[in-house]
Amino acid sequence: MRKIRCDYRCLLLITAVVAFFYIQMRLSATLSEYADRLAVALESENHCTSQSRLLTDQISIHQSNIVSLQEQNRRQAEECRQLKALLDDLERKGVRKVVDKAQVPVAAVVIMACNRADYLQRTIESILKYQSSVASKYPLFVSQDGSDPNVRSKAMSYNQLMYIQHLDSEPVQTERPGELIAYYKIARHYKWAMDQLFYKHNFSRVIILEDDMEIAPDFFDYFEAAAALLEKDKSIMAVSSWNDNGQKQFVHDPYELYRSDFFPGLGWMLTKSIWDELSPKWPKAYWDDWLRLKENHKGRQFIRPEVCRTYNFGEHGSSLGQFFQQYLQPIKLNNVKVDWKAKDLSYLTKDNYTKHFANIVRKAKPVHGTDAVLKAYNIEGDVRIQYRDQPDFEWIAHQFGIFEEWKDGIPRTSFKGVVVFRYHTTRRIFLVGPDSLRQLGIEDA
């Protein structure tokens, strides 16, 4: 019995020892596992602490930069405010200087500039050559789009003109992929400049030139005579100094003026009342083609000369030299000092012009057939050639070398669908549309 009890105690002791060692081994393993986890946690904590310190340092640096930029922005804003105040003061003084001498200026003249300082100088010099003697009638402005320092410096170097600047930081969103942003910026600049001249300076008329133009000796006399037409006849939307078909081989008479259904642009004058109508709906881009839409000119017409009073030398610009060699470089700039004050321009009014123009077209000899161009070359007097539609017109125009382009159903330079130009001599060629004779009241023999 004692032996059994001893064996039982030994068994319990052995079991307890085994259990103890098992528990010790498990505890050791658990402690080792927790030690490893603690080491990983400590390492993570150290890494996080390091990253936190790095982020804190970066935030501190950025905060310092923000404070610095805010201070820089504040200084620049103050400098801009002071500069604007200075420019406004100079502008007020300058406008008084150029306008006070004249009770009623004929028109303000504005040169639209951007980043071509050399072109601008050539344009200013050409204008001042003839404007100086009539400066009180034609206050001269340069409107710069943007902040090109060379253009600004060049413009402000002339005491005879006033400088205004259009600064527009609003991003441009084109309506179609691949469009040039420049055409959108140009449209914005035009609207801003004309709003300034018509509404801030309260001019009744404005003549718009670009920074790549030279003017003719009678440029200002021409526009003074035309101003009276604009005031008298509300069917005239604007007066231009340009003829798209004004190349040397297509013009002859510096005294001849025409009405046209097609807006010529390139040196043109409009009134405040017309701008009141156009300004609220001015387009985002392509303003000149927009003016050629029937919905905008509303049947009103434009006065243009046979011989141009402006010459466009801008081979390099937003249009990338389009048409320069073929159409712009050969333009004839008038060199005759026409006495426009002595000219009776009443034939250009709406009531008189259709009859006047019809009489000229009626006297022209009709020429027909596929060889009409060759026949026209061998006829001494005026000639008229009828075209059937736009493709037919383009084919005939190509044979002569004149502009083939149409806008909204209207050929360039045309009146009632009739395009007129000289052809190597004093003879006139009339390209007559399918409905032109009826509109002119001419019976087709």
Side-chain angles (χ1 to χ4, degrees), residues 242-243 246-248 308 310-311 327-333:
W242 183 260
N243 173 13
Q247 294 77 21
K248 296 178 178 68
C308 290
T310 47
Y311 179 78
Y327 295 114
L328 299 181
Q329 192 174 53
I331 287 287
K332 176 178 174 59
L333 178 65

Side-chain angles (χ1 to χ4, degrees), residues 63-296:
Q63 286 176 335
S64 298
N65 289 339
I66 289 171
V67 172
S68 176
L69 288 172
Q70 287 175 336
E71 177 62 22
Q72 182 180 350
N73 184 60
R74 187 193 64 77
R75 288 197 304 269
Q76 289 180 343
E78 178 62 21
E79 290 173 0
C80 287
R81 187 191 66 77
Q82 293 176 357
L83 180 60
K84 185 177 184 303
L86 175 61
L87 288 174
D88 287 344
D89 183 58
L90 289 171
E91 188 176 329
R92 285 192 298 271
K93 292 176 181 177
V95 170
R96 285 198 297 271
K97 179 181 70 176
V98 297
V99 174
D100 282 350
K101 295 179 182 179
Q103 293 181 351
V104 181
V106 174
V109 180
V110 59
I111 306 169
M112 308 297 287
C114 181
N115 57 6
R116 302 184 294 186
D118 53 341
Y119 278 19
L120 178 61
Q121 179 177 2
R122 181 173 168 181
T123 297
I124 292 173
E125 295 294 341
S126 173
I127 293 171
L128 291 180
K129 184 177 179 180
Y130 305 111
Q131 185 259 2
S132 298
S133 61
V134 291
S136 60
K137 292 182 178 181
Y138 297 96
L140 180 58
F141 291 77
V142 168
S143 180
Q144 181 186 0
D145 186 32
S147 56
D148 185 286
N150 295 324
V151 168
R152 181 175 180 272
S153 176
K154 180 61 64 180
M156 295 189 74
S157 69
Y158 290 90
N159 294 326
Q160 303 97 317
L161 59 84
M162 282 310 305
Y163 169 79
I164 57 178
Q165 186 178 26
H166 176 234
L167 296 174
D168 183 8
S169 58
E170 184 180 347
V172 173
Q173 296 292 333
T174 61
E175 294 183 346
R176 290 173 291 274
E179 287 184 297
L180 290 176
I181 290 176
Y183 291 116
Y184 287 78
K185 288 183 172 291
I186 289 170
R188 287 183 186 177
H189 182 205
Y190 266 74
K191 184 181 188 310
W192 178 87
M194 287 193 278
D195 280 346
Q196 289 284 304
L197 294 170
F198 280 121
Y199 300 141
K200 182 177 180 179
H201 299 302
N202 203 33
F203 288 106
S204 59
R205 287 175 290 270
V206 174
I207 298 171
I208 300 100
L209 292 167
E210 295 170 15
D211 63 351
D212 54 4
M213 291 182 176
E214 293 178 335
I215 66 171
D218 63 340
F219 177 89
F220 292 107
D221 289 344
Y222 166 72
F223 276 110
E224 185 167 2
L229 279 174
L230 271 178
E231 296 304 322
K232 183 188 304 181
D233 188 347
K234 299 307 178 183
S235 70
I236 300 173
M237 191 171 190
V239 176
S240 175
S241 57
W242 183 260
N243 173 13
D244 283 305
N245 292 321
Q247 294 77 21
K248 296 178 178 68
Q249 67 271 29
F250 300 133
V251 298
H252 172 74
D253 188 354
Y255 296 88
E256 190 66 48
L257 305 180
Y258 295 91
R259 287 178 76 115
S260 175
D261 297 306
F262 191 98
F263 171 65
L266 294 177
W268 56 290
M269 178 171 66
L270 79 164
T271 63
K272 185 176 183 293
S273 61
I274 293 294
W275 185 244
D276 288 341
E277 174 190 332
L278 299 178
S279 180
K281 59 178 183 177
W282 193 250
K284 293 180 180 179
Y286 312 107
W287 65 267
D288 46 353
D289 283 342
W290 177 82
L291 276 176
R292 291 164 183 150
L293 299 177
K294 294 172 185 175
E295 65 188 66
N296 294 317

Side-chain angles (χ1 to χ4, degrees), residues 51-61 63:
Q51 290 296 312
S52 177
R53 287 175 180 171
L54 180 60
L55 287 173
T56 301
D57 291 342
Q58 290 177 344
I59 290 170
S60 178
I61 293 170
Q63 286 176 335

